[in-house]
Amino acid sequence: MSATLEYQAKDYKSELKPIWCPGCGDYSVVQGIYRALAAIGRPPHEIAFISGIGCSSRIPGYTTAYGFNTVHGRALPIAQGIKMANPDLLVLAAGGDGDGFSIGGGHLAHLVRRNMDITYIVMDNQIYGLTKGQLSPTSQKGRQTCTSRFGSLEEPVNPLLYMLAYGAHFVAQACPTDLAGMAAIIEEAIRFPGFAFVNIQSPCVTYGEEAQQMKGLKAIQESLKALGHDPADRLAAMDLAQQYGTKMHLGVFYRNPEPPATYEQLVRERQAEQMKNAAPRERILDLFIKK
Amino acid sequence: MPVTERPKPSLVPEYCKGCGRCVSVCVKGCIAFDDEINPATGVVPVVIDLEKCNGCGLCIEACPEPYGLRALDQGEDYELQDPAKLYGARLSEAPEPEDIPAQRIPLPACQPLVIKGNYAAALGALLAGCRHVYGYPITPSTEGAELMSKLLPRLDGVFLQAVSEVATVNHMYGTGGAGLPCLTFTSSPGFSLMLEGISYMAGAEVPAVFINIMRGGPGLGNIAPEQSDIKLACRGLGHGNTHAICLTPSTPQEMLDLTILAFELSFKYRHPVILLADGYLGQMTGKVQLPDHMTKPGIPKWAVYGDLAHRKNLINSIYLDEHDLERHNEYLCGKYEAMQAEARAETFLCEDAELIVVACNTPARAAKGAVQELRHQGLKAGLFRPLTVWPFPVEQLKAHLGPGRRLLVVEASAGQLEDELRLALSHAGLPVPPVAHVRRMGGMLPQQDQIVAAATAILA
């Protein structure tokens, strides 16, 4: 992976014109991704961009990377399959809050456990936009949507706290209110050796509430750097993450200063160790025959 | 295998409560009380010294705990057992459960409503007494869930947006097991995800109604209408020997009527029922006349409702003994046989028809127009519209078959309806007449002029 200055943001932009609603936060997210990828400089054919289903899951199509718009909630298992098939690829996964924390919620803990070098970008807008405005797992309690006419009775999930508790080694949050900051965070997440999670507060202009639009988000945003937060301090990160939904902290909550080996590294080590004194391939079935 | 040696006891300390019955029966004095607390259970198990043991087995006999002291040759492992057998007849003071029958409540006459198919099905469910709806948003079915979220809280009911279709079907397994009518609205990819649960519900005989507003596939496909889940609903309801009645409406009115029927059938047979509609039917607005009564559901006697009256009931789909499971499968097959009586169809100008157009759901609407147009041209065409694709109404079709009669299957799938038709004819031992077809896929529907052209080519 040699960083070159050959690539510019526009090289990662595909010919397809996004069909998101005008003003959707996801336009900025894809811009942030172009910039981050340009800064990293891997050629587009060495990048695999995997998504689930939802408005935000259209995002791979708007890049020149290899894209895979997969099954609802299954972006992460499919991304893992791709990473195992070709560990040299830069694997990005993306989707929305419903895709990631509702139908796909069960997969998160296990990718964190495996710690494959995959960057997962969630465009969290607290609503199901593609199906026209239903309750999402991050919708705040009491939120009225067309499937919660009298207000939701459920507490929202806190994705940041989830990921920290699962033991993720890189957890960050960004927002289109700060595009340069978002691009930098995405870049840092991709560069992090191991699983990295970036929650992006991406407002839904069509079904989102007033307070969740850019103006409202700007009012509650606070840079973690400005707060003097030390990203190596996991407990402090968890403290700050508890304010998800009331405050919007931007930046890196937690970055493990000593990232452990990734799953694919361990797999390679295991293979090397097992192959050291292994019988020739044509004799491998002998292992099954009792002597 | 002949026993060559008498078995010596083996103690599983986690199950021993230290009651000491084994201590008092052992003639050799091998077993003694101990004073060490077992950290897993907090009680003090006995200790065994097998040096003097002659394997008399008295201690094993004396042990009241099913897994405390066992013969050593059985090992410390134990196999999974059928819960119904493991605990024997379930002891309860409760009386034998009785059916609490559903009640019919008359409704005042009212003007017809003009509503979407999805809303009509939702109203049908409410009138059938359904107060529990689970669902996950998926176009083009979501309006049903949305209406339920608005209406159910005012009717003492529950709408819960599940985290996925996998969760949805299992919420339904729970509510259906309690003996209450429950429903989901979904569309093809979501229905795929529910199949495992439907298989469990069929095995455990749990009623529920699944409204599948079919959309274009395979995979993500699109959100336009298709009929390509007929195969799934008729032949592929999860693993095991499963079938379920599949109703196929073709108007908003039928979305309501057949949803009500679906609830009746699901409780009559204690089995899931599938309502197969297509994307247009879900979204189509039409005139809907409400029925003259609604239903207040009762509680069937098999329900595990969670009160004393239903204490004796058990709902499961596990039969570890092969003989038992075969018997259960035979019983289910008997039920599928009985469901054949529910086959329904509507015919239009079939009596003298030389060409019978077979179609259901939205394609049946174009087919009806085509039949009328063909009649105008003096060509003898008729429409046979199955209201159930499983069981296929082959008896009703039989009446219109005969020498010189032909069939034209019109469908929005790659021959899934035709497969059901051919299979049904074959099972009924009927000769298959010449079958032609008009098929569209991917969200495109058969058009009236296409059907007319295909029919004219056959008849003229």
Side-chain angles (χ1 to χ4, degrees):
Chain A
M1 200 207 293
S2 62
T4 60
L5 294 173
E6 280 172 53
Y7 291 97
Q8 294 172 338
K10 65 174 170 52
D11 297 320
Y12 298 94
K13 184 178 183 306
S14 80
E15 299 287 299
L16 270 183
K17 194 172 170 290
I19 57 159
W20 291 314
C21 304
C24 176
D26 297 353
Y27 283 100
S28 314
V29 178
V30 75
Q31 290 296 338
I33 290 172
Y34 297 150
R35 289 194 195 184
L37 289 175
I40 287 164
R42 290 278 298 267
H45 68 267
E46 288 178 21
I47 302 165
F49 201 172
I50 324 303
S51 68
I53 298 294
C55 294
S56 54
S57 289
R58 307 186 63 89
I59 204 162
Y62 305 140
T63 71
T64 48
Y66 276 112
F68 196 169
N69 187 187
T70 68
V71 185
H72 193 25
R74 315 298 166 211
L76 294 182
I78 291 165
Q80 292 174 60
I82 287 166
K83 190 72 184 174
M84 284 297 92
N86 187 353
D88 295 329
L89 285 175
L90 189 168
V91 179
L92 289 175
D97 43 313
D99 195 64
F101 310 134
S102 183
I103 192 165
H107 298 300
L108 295 173
H110 305 288
L111 177 50
V112 170
R113 257 164 16 96
R114 284 187 196 116
N115 191 32
M116 285 186 199
D117 191 3
I118 291 172
T119 302
Y120 186 33
I121 297 165
V122 172
M123 281 149 271
D124 180 1
N125 60 5
Q126 291 94 18
I127 196 82
Y128 280 69
L130 189 70
T131 48
K132 304 195 286 290
Q134 293 83 22
L135 195 70
S136 104
T138 50
S139 300
Q140 76 275 27
K141 195 172 180 180
R143 171 88 182 260
Q144 290 186 353
T145 70
C146 51
T147 51
S148 58
R149 285 289 172 144
F150 307 102
S152 134
L153 300 171
E154 296 157 28
E155 291 291 343
V157 303
N158 181 334
L160 300 165
L161 208 48
Y162 266 28
M163 292 312 239
L164 288 165
Y166 286 152
H169 300 289
F170 186 99
V171 177
Q173 183 162 259
C175 182
T177 50
D178 173 14
L179 181 57
M182 178 166 71
I185 289 168
I186 295 172
E187 183 191 340
E188 196 178 343
I190 295 173
R191 288 190 192 278
F192 182 80
F195 177 66
F197 170 70
V198 184
N199 199 56
I200 299 182
Q201 293 292 336
S202 173
C204 175
V205 284
T206 308
Y207 301 104
E209 289 187 330
E210 195 63 41
Q212 290 157 344
Q213 303 305 326
M214 296 287 256
K215 199 177 163 199
L217 290 174
K218 225 168 193 162
I220 56 164
Q221 83 177 36
E222 217 166 331
S223 153
L224 287 171
K225 217 176 244 168
L227 279 176
H229 171 63
D230 172 15
D233 187 345
R234 189 153 164 265
L235 288 178
M238 289 179 103
D239 251 357
L240 287 164
Q242 295 215 23
Q243 294 171 36
Y244 171 84
T246 50
K247 275 258 177 305
M248 187 179 65
H249 296 301
L250 300 182
V252 179
F253 280 80
Y254 178 62
R255 183 197 315 105
N256 190 337
E258 290 160 2
T262 63
Y263 189 81
E264 52 274 21
Q265 281 167 353
L266 295 173
V267 165
R268 280 181 173 164
E269 278 170 29
R270 172 67 50 84
Q271 286 167 344
E273 168 196 312
Q274 290 291 314
M275 282 160 72
K276 215 180 286 167
N277 298 316
R281 275 168 198 243
E282 58 275 18
R283 305 295 305 162
I284 204 78
L285 282 179
D286 291 357
L287 288 174
F288 291 95
I289 303 163
K290 242 186 187 162
K291 289 210 175 97
Chain B
M1 202 170 148
V3 180
T4 52
E5 202 180 293
R6 283 187 292 180
K8 292 186 176 183
S10 153
L11 177 76
V12 186
E14 284 80 4
Y15 288 110
C16 176
K17 300 187 182 76
C19 70
R21 290 187 196 182
C22 51
V23 177
S24 54
V25 297
C26 181
V27 287
K28 295 280 185 183
C30 305
I31 311 179
F33 286 107
D34 195 20
D35 52 13
E36 203 170 304
I37 297 171
N38 183 304
T41 60
V43 292
V44 185
V46 297
V47 285
I48 301 185
D49 178 7
L50 291 178
E51 201 175 314
K52 283 183 260 170
C53 175
N54 62 359
C56 70
L58 286 173
C59 57
I60 297 170
E61 287 290 328
C63 181
E65 193 63 49
Y67 299 107
L69 269 180
R70 298 165 58 98
L72 199 55
D73 64 350
Q74 287 180 13
E76 292 180 4
D77 293 332
Y78 50 91
E79 284 177 25
L80 274 178
Q81 288 187 31
D82 185 340
K85 285 191 177 159
L86 182 59
Y87 302 110
R90 289 147 59 76
L91 299 177
S92 167
E93 298 297 311
E96 278 301 317
E98 278 178 27
D99 271 326
I100 301 171
Q103 292 169 22
R104 270 172 80 104
I105 299 169
L107 280 178
C110 69
Q111 291 293 312
L113 308 172
V114 178
I115 48 173
K116 264 189 179 192
N118 279 334
Y119 292 148
L123 287 190
L126 294 176
L127 294 174
C130 171
R131 294 292 179 271
H132 293 82
V133 176
Y134 307 100
Y136 190 76
I138 184 163
T139 313
S141 78
T142 318
E143 292 84 2
E146 289 175 356
L147 185 66
M148 288 303 200
S149 122
K150 194 173 172 184
L151 297 182
L152 279 173
R154 301 173 183 177
L155 292 167
D156 209 14
V158 178
F159 167 77
L160 190 151
Q161 185 182 315
V163 299
S164 68
E165 283 86 356
V166 177
T168 303
V169 69
N170 288 296
H171 292 319
M172 295 171 77
Y173 195 0
T175 300
L180 300 180
C182 62
L183 171 87
T184 191
F185 282 90
T186 190
S187 181
S188 308
F191 189 64
S192 282
L193 267 183
M194 292 180 181
L195 293 175
E196 183 198 34
I198 295 177
S199 165
Y200 275 76
M201 293 173 88
E205 302 192 80
V206 173
V209 174
F210 296 83
I211 297 187
N212 179 1
I213 309 292
M214 294 184 282
R215 65 185 231 188
L220 189 48
N222 60 23
I223 54 171
E226 223 182 41
Q227 291 176 294
S228 48
D229 295 353
I230 291 181
K231 166 203 72 186
L232 206 58
C234 297
R235 303 286 147 200
L237 283 181
H239 58 282
N241 297 307
T242 53
H243 277 299
I245 297 173
C246 302
L247 301 163
T248 46
S250 72
T251 58
Q253 178 71 53
E254 282 183 351
M255 290 289 282
L256 178 125
D257 295 343
L258 295 186
T259 302
I260 296 175
L261 177 67
F263 278 101
E264 282 168 18
L265 294 176
S266 74
F267 276 81
K268 178 176 175 187
Y269 292 101
R270 212 187 137 180
H271 205 76
V273 172
I274 321 278
L275 188 109
L276 286 177
D278 60 60
Y280 273 174
L281 272 170
Q283 300 299 322
M284 182 191 295
T285 298
K287 197 165 82 172
V288 174
Q289 182 71 54
L290 296 185
D292 61 356
H293 71 280
M294 59 183 204
T295 304
K296 181 176 186 246
I299 299 175
K301 62 180 175 193
W302 51 260
V304 180
Y305 187 67
D307 57 3
L308 193 62
H310 297 88
R311 194 80 185 98
K312 288 186 173 168
N313 291 338
L314 176 72
I315 286 183
N316 78 24
S317 67
I318 183 172
Y319 295 87
L320 287 177
D321 185 295
E322 297 88 333
H323 305 93
D324 291 350
L325 185 55
E326 187 177 40
R327 260 195 302 281
H328 181 59
N329 267 285
E330 282 163 357
Y331 162 73
L332 289 177
C333 290
K335 217 159 80 162
Y336 302 148
E337 201 52 50
M339 287 176 194
Q340 301 297 324
E342 304 301 339
R344 287 166 163 79
E346 194 192 78
T347 56
F348 176 67
L349 305 176
C350 274
E351 286 65 31
D352 62 339
E354 288 163 14
L355 178 75
I356 294 171
V357 182
V358 180
C360 60
N361 296 135
T362 302
R365 301 169 68 101
K368 193 169 187 178
V371 165
Q372 283 166 324
E373 200 179 321
L374 289 162
R375 286 279 171 173
H376 271 297
Q377 296 175 14
L379 296 170
K380 286 183 173 173
L383 172 67
F384 182 82
R385 184 164 71 85
L387 290 171
T388 55
V389 281
W390 195 97
F392 195 89
V394 68
E395 282 302 314
Q396 289 88 328
L397 181 62
K398 195 173 149 184
H400 304 292
L401 296 179
R405 301 258 173 135
R406 292 155 172 271
L407 296 176
L408 175 65
V409 182
V410 175
E411 59 182 312
S413 86
Q416 298 188 7
L417 178 63
E418 188 178 326
D419 286 349
E420 284 308 308
L421 167 81
R422 285 175 178 272
L423 205 52
L425 287 172
S426 157
H427 281 308
L430 295 169
V432 180
V435 183
H437 55 247
V438 176
R439 293 173 185 169
R440 296 299 296 271
M441 286 170 287
M444 302 300 294
L445 290 180
Q447 302 295 305
Q448 186 169 322
D449 53 359
Q450 273 185 303
I451 305 168
V452 170
T456 317
I458 297 165
L459 288 173

